[in-house]
Amino acid sequence: MSDTSGLTAEEHRSQVRKAATASVVGTAIEWYDFFLYGTAAATVFAQVFFPKSSPYAGTLSAFATYAVGFAARPVGAAIFGHWGDRIGRKATLIVTLVMMGVSSALIGLLPGTATIGVWAPILLVVLRILQGIAVGGEWSGSVLLSMEWGDQRRRGLMASWAQVGVPIGLILGTGMMSLLAFSAGDAFKVWGWRIPFLASLVLVGVGLWVRLRVMETPLFAKVLETRQVAKLPVVEVLKKHPKEVVLSALLRVSEQMPFYLYTTFVITYITAPDIGMSKTFAFLAVSCAAAVELFAIPYFGHLSDRVGRRRLYLIGAALLAVIAFPYYMLLNTGVAIIILLTIMVTQVQHSMEYGPQASFIAESFPTGLRYGGAGLGYQLASVIAGGPAPLIAVWLLHSFGWQAISIFMIIGAAIGFLAALALPDRSKIDIGDHAAYV
């Protein structure tokens, strides 16, 4: 393992910069791959993998396979959380990156149901599970790589750089799909959608080059030196910090659930006949919304270093309840500029929670159990919030109308608000001091 204790001040600053860059770039590539699937599920997978279903049933089936990836994310958090707290952040993150890239490329090569029959949707689900496992192990490692290297007085900002990878991945994914949908025409549904999945192999090569240049974090290196490595980190964190794991998951309901309504379900919603926007416009709107978060996420991460994580998070959760009904009322106008601005502005509310969220969750666990604890808390929300959200929204819209989706959002806001109230705000403690968690 690399020794960080003998670094000069300039070498340490260089590692901080490299760690932040590796955190952003690697996470962006992982989420590029993950969001590609969501975009494809909203546009072409129903025809390619579920061609005999009605449009409603096909969309449900496509989003069901989308949700499977979320169900796999806690599994990835447990697997890679174990090794991230045993051998280190860097090695684990290299494995997750390769695993995601290969899985995505194979989706790009997967024949449709018309060619190989029932094996097509089965293999699609298997590859989606592998994507979910990879991204499940990615998040906490990326957050810790940056946060544990950076200035401990600026942990909110440093941890938020991993979060910035999410809108970058969203811009790359929807941008590629938008470009191909516009340029390939009818060929997009036949073969054009495959190109962005295959391109992930090139991006993985870039990500590996960046991550291999970063040393292990000083905080975890100290755990190794003092022989405080847990034999079964995931088991130990569940025994010693169950409250923090559960609250971290519930905390995310008010953030993750609306995010996938804002970025995935919205594509289906505004391209339906009632509103009638084109897929190209929908992709563009979501990409513009992601661009807002490129600035909003680090800003609110930085602001949380000044005002505290919990206070900022509570305001963000409350805002979700306020905008739940106006959001769909504005989309329903069918006016392109109003829809575009609505989709963009809602990401400010999301960033108010997502910016401080990484440090809020990661600070809840001691260094030797942080990879597994933060990862489990973060990814368990995928099962109850992010993964089912588009699927539930499709059903609610079909059965009760858009108002039911707004109520769904308000319930999510209340859950996140109460969880944030209950989770201790450790933004001012020394996270390297194990005694602070006893």
Side-chain angles (χ1 to χ4, degrees):
M1 187 62 62
S2 303
D3 178 19
T4 61
S5 59
L7 295 179
T8 65
E10 180 54 38
E11 288 172 336
H12 187 275
R13 285 193 293 269
S14 175
Q15 281 296 311
V16 171
R17 290 192 294 269
K18 289 177 180 177
T21 302
S23 184
V24 174
V25 171
T27 307
I29 294 168
E30 292 263 2
W31 285 104
Y32 163 80
D33 290 328
F34 204 76
F35 284 133
L36 273 182
Y37 194 104
T39 306
T43 53
V44 298
F45 277 1
Q47 298 96 317
V48 175
F49 296 103
F50 308 98
K52 294 184 179 180
S53 302
S54 68
Y56 169 60
T59 301
L60 276 179
S61 298
F63 277 135
T65 63
Y66 176 72
V68 164
F70 286 83
R73 282 165 63 172
V75 177
I79 294 171
F80 292 108
H82 171 84
W83 293 111
D85 283 329
R86 289 281 298 165
I87 64 175
R89 290 47 167 134
K90 176 181 173 179
T92 308
L93 286 172
I94 290 171
V95 176
T96 61
L97 187 61
V98 172
M99 185 175 179
M100 175 61 90
V102 171
S103 301
S104 296
L106 289 175
I107 290 174
L109 295 172
L110 185 62
T113 300
T115 304
I116 61 173
V118 71
W119 281 105
I122 291 174
L123 291 173
L124 181 67
V125 169
V126 170
L127 292 172
R128 181 58 174 173
I129 289 172
L130 292 177
Q131 275 194 327
I133 291 172
V135 84
E138 164 73 22
W139 178 82
S140 53
S142 289
V143 166
L144 302 187
L145 192 66
S146 182
M147 189 177 86
E148 292 182 351
W149 260 113
D151 184 344
Q152 293 306 295
R153 294 168 299 180
R154 304 172 67 196
R155 292 196 302 259
L157 174 62
M158 293 304 297
S160 73
W161 289 120
Q163 311 287 69
V164 173
V166 174
I168 293 176
L170 184 58
I171 290 170
L172 289 174
T174 56
M176 284 281 281
M177 283 292 192
S178 178
L179 177 64
L180 286 165
F182 178 75
S183 60
D186 293 338
F188 174 72
K189 292 182 179 180
V190 180
W191 56 264
W193 66 268
R194 299 179 182 275
I195 295 175
F197 285 94
L198 296 172
S200 65
L201 287 178
V202 178
L203 296 176
V204 165
V206 175
L208 286 175
W209 178 77
V210 172
R211 283 190 169 171
L212 287 169
R213 300 169 67 217
V214 184
M215 298 170 66
E216 187 53 77
T217 72
L219 290 180
F220 188 74
K222 184 179 178 181
V223 169
L224 291 174
E225 291 168 8
T226 55
R227 300 183 182 276
Q228 294 179 334
V229 176
K231 290 184 179 180
L232 296 171
V234 172
V235 174
E236 191 168 329
V237 80
L238 289 174
K239 285 182 178 179
K240 295 182 177 179
H241 303 280
K243 172 186 173 183
E244 286 81 358
V245 171
V246 172
L247 288 177
S248 295
L250 295 176
L251 179 82
R252 297 202 62 219
V253 173
S254 64
E255 171 271 316
Q256 194 190 46
M257 177 266 283
F259 178 73
Y260 287 100
L261 298 183
Y262 294 161
T263 60
T264 300
F265 172 72
V266 73
I267 295 174
T268 299
Y269 188 81
I270 66 174
T271 57
D274 289 347
I275 296 179
M277 295 292 110
S278 69
K279 286 184 172 64
T280 301
F281 173 83
F283 291 151
L284 174 65
V286 171
S287 296
C288 290
V292 171
E293 291 210 302
L294 291 178
F295 304 96
I297 287 174
Y299 170 74
F300 286 118
H302 164 71
L303 188 60
S304 76
D305 286 324
R306 299 177 60 185
V307 305
R309 323 286 185 227
R310 181 196 285 147
R311 181 182 302 175
L312 200 54
Y313 206 93
L314 291 172
I315 295 172
L319 278 177
L320 173 62
V322 171
I323 68 173
F325 275 92
Y327 175 68
Y328 284 99
M329 292 170 65
L330 290 168
L331 294 183
N332 291 340
T333 64
V335 179
I337 187 62
I338 292 177
I339 292 173
L340 176 63
L341 291 175
T342 299
I343 293 173
M344 290 175 67
V345 170
T346 50
Q347 296 297 35
V348 175
Q349 175 273 319
H350 177 259
S351 298
M352 194 173 292
E353 294 182 82
Y354 204 55
Q357 184 186 89
S359 48
F360 196 8
I361 292 175
E363 289 166 346
S364 299
F365 303 93
T367 304
L369 304 176
R370 188 170 293 136
Y371 200 123
L376 280 174
Y378 186 89
Q379 302 300 354
L380 281 171
S382 302
V383 180
I384 60 175
L391 188 64
I392 292 172
V394 169
W395 173 72
L396 288 174
L397 180 64
H398 180 79
S399 302
F400 306 104
W402 66 266
Q403 295 89 342
I405 306 175
S406 296
I407 294 172
F408 178 49
M409 292 168 67
I410 292 171
I411 293 170
I415 293 172
F417 188 93
L418 293 174
L421 276 178
L423 187 67
D425 187 340
R426 293 184 168 95
S427 53
K428 303 302 180 183
I429 72 165
D430 177 4
I431 61 170
D433 181 9
H434 185 78
Y437 295 90
V438 177

